Every structure is written in structure tokens, then in C-alpha cells.
Amino acid sequence: MTGLAQPGLASFEPAYADELAVLLRWAFEEIQREEGQSVYFRLSTRPIEQPRRTVDRDLAAAIVAGAYWLREPASNAELAIAYCGAVAPEALAAHQAVAEDIPGAGLLAITSPDRLHRDWRAACVGGESSVAERLLTRLRPGAALVTVGDFHPATLSWLGAVAGNTIVPLGVDRFGQSGDIPDLYRAYGIDTDAILDAAARACLTALQQTV
């Protein structure tokens, strides 16, 4: 992602219009602060069904911080799917299918891999808990985690190190294909079926590690 790791630049990739509204309000305030940053948005023109919800203060703060549970996991859940951006429909469909076999699986919406990662690095140095750690410690230690976005898999693969999760990162590691979005997502292995396959692999690996 072009906006990642740029000094003085906060990078976001919201999936929904209400997330973008929150982030734009924050961005206009941020760029006017004396020591504020520039703000980069990676947006998609893909039509996505929008959630019907009220964005309260806690949710707005979580959106700005970089991530929140779109579907809350049960305590000590065995699996979570973390997605970012326009792959939200595929992640939602995969979570719905997984939840039939793994009740309590979580669905983590990531609005900023950039801010999550910077916060985690700062917390490691300062000895404090990070946003990512507080979210992922809801899961069982070593639980399976699948990450997915239409960017390089390494963009979110670091999440496996935050709380020791068994991770399978999905993403785009080549280019040159053409076609509509479903065909491209299938070709790059970031469609619903690919997420379900990754969840099965992650859960199997996590189970083997506990034996």
C-alpha cells in the first residue's frame, strides 16, 4: 500500500461510508493541528451493502484507532477473520459460513493497518498493551487468525505476532490479471472460498500445535 510507512502520514482504508465519515472528520481536525499529520485514504469504487447502525463515540474512536470487532468473538474463541477495505462482503460471507461450525468466531474490521502497526511497535517499546493486542487477546491463546485484503499479504501478516495467533494471511502478491472483481478475487485467492479454505488450514494448524 502506497500510504504505509510514510513519515508524517496517517493511512486509512475504510470499507463503509460511516467509517469514512468518522475518518474525514478526524482528518480535517488532524491536518489543522500544529503538529498534525497528512492523511491518506485508499478508497474503492466497488458498491458494498452498507451496515445499518449507529456509530457511537466508542465505535468512532475504534475506527480512528485502526480496528474494531464487526462481529464480536466469544471469550477464548478458536478463530477470527480480519479484513480490510473492499473485501468486506467476502469476509462477511466467510464468517457467516464459519460461524455454523465454529460458534463464537470473530470478524475484525481493520480501517488502518498503518495506525495499528505503529501503535503496536510503540507499545512494544513502551511496555504497554496495544490496540491490536487488546483486540486479539479476546481469542484463545494460539487461536487461528485469517487476514485478508486486496493488498500484499504481508500488510496484515504481522498480526500473528501480536498475541501468538496461528495466522494464514491472504492477499495479492502478483499482478497482470484482468476481469471483473469476482473473477479477480478468485484468481488472487481472496474470495469467500479462499477465506474458508484459509480458516480450515489455520484451525487445523492451531489444533496440531496444542496436541
Side-chain angles (χ1 to χ4, degrees):
M1 295 173 65
T2 305
L4 288 178
Q6 298 293 321
L9 181 68
S11 173
F12 294 94
E13 185 172 353
Y16 298 119
D18 57 5
E19 295 173 347
L20 180 59
V22 168
L23 293 171
L24 281 173
R25 283 195 295 268
W26 179 85
F28 286 134
E29 294 179 356
E30 176 67 15
I31 61 178
Q32 294 180 79
R33 291 196 307 115
E34 184 174 346
E35 298 180 358
Q37 308 172 83
S38 298
V39 182
Y40 171 91
F41 290 102
R42 184 176 187 246
L43 303 177
S44 171
T45 57
R46 182 188 187 192
I48 293 177
E49 184 177 352
Q50 300 295 304
R52 297 180 180 180
R53 60 184 177 181
T54 299
V55 179
D56 58 21
R57 182 174 298 180
D58 289 342
L59 178 54
I63 290 170
V64 172
Y68 64 94
W69 288 111
L70 185 63
R71 299 288 185 270
E72 291 274 349
S75 179
N76 288 319
E78 298 290 331
L79 169 70
I81 297 169
Y83 75 90
C84 183
V87 298
E90 286 72 23
L92 279 162
H95 177 268
Q96 184 174 359
V98 159
E100 297 177 3
D101 297 320
I102 309 176
L107 182 63
L108 185 64
I110 296 178
T111 56
S112 178
D114 168 40
R115 283 175 65 81
L116 271 189
H117 188 257
R118 292 175 195 252
D119 174 69
W120 177 57
R121 286 193 305 169
C124 289
V125 173
E128 302 174 353
S129 65
S130 65
V131 171
E133 183 180 1
R134 292 194 294 272
L135 288 166
L136 293 176
T137 50
R138 294 281 304 276
L139 309 177
R140 178 185 65 77
L145 178 64
V146 176
T147 61
V148 59
D150 61 349
F151 40 55
H152 196 278
T155 306
L156 292 175
S157 63
W158 59 272
L159 283 170
V162 172
N165 293 104
T166 302
I167 188 167
V168 176
L170 303 179
V172 180
D173 58 4
R174 63 192 188 282
F175 62 91
Q177 300 293 325
S178 61
D180 60 18
I181 287 178
D183 288 342
L184 288 172
Y185 279 15
R186 189 177 308 112
Y188 290 126
I190 56 174
D191 63 349
T192 299
D193 287 342
I195 298 171
L196 290 172
D197 287 344
R201 284 186 281 130
C203 287
L204 179 59
T205 302
L207 180 62
Q208 290 172 341
Q209 292 176 347
T210 60
V211 174

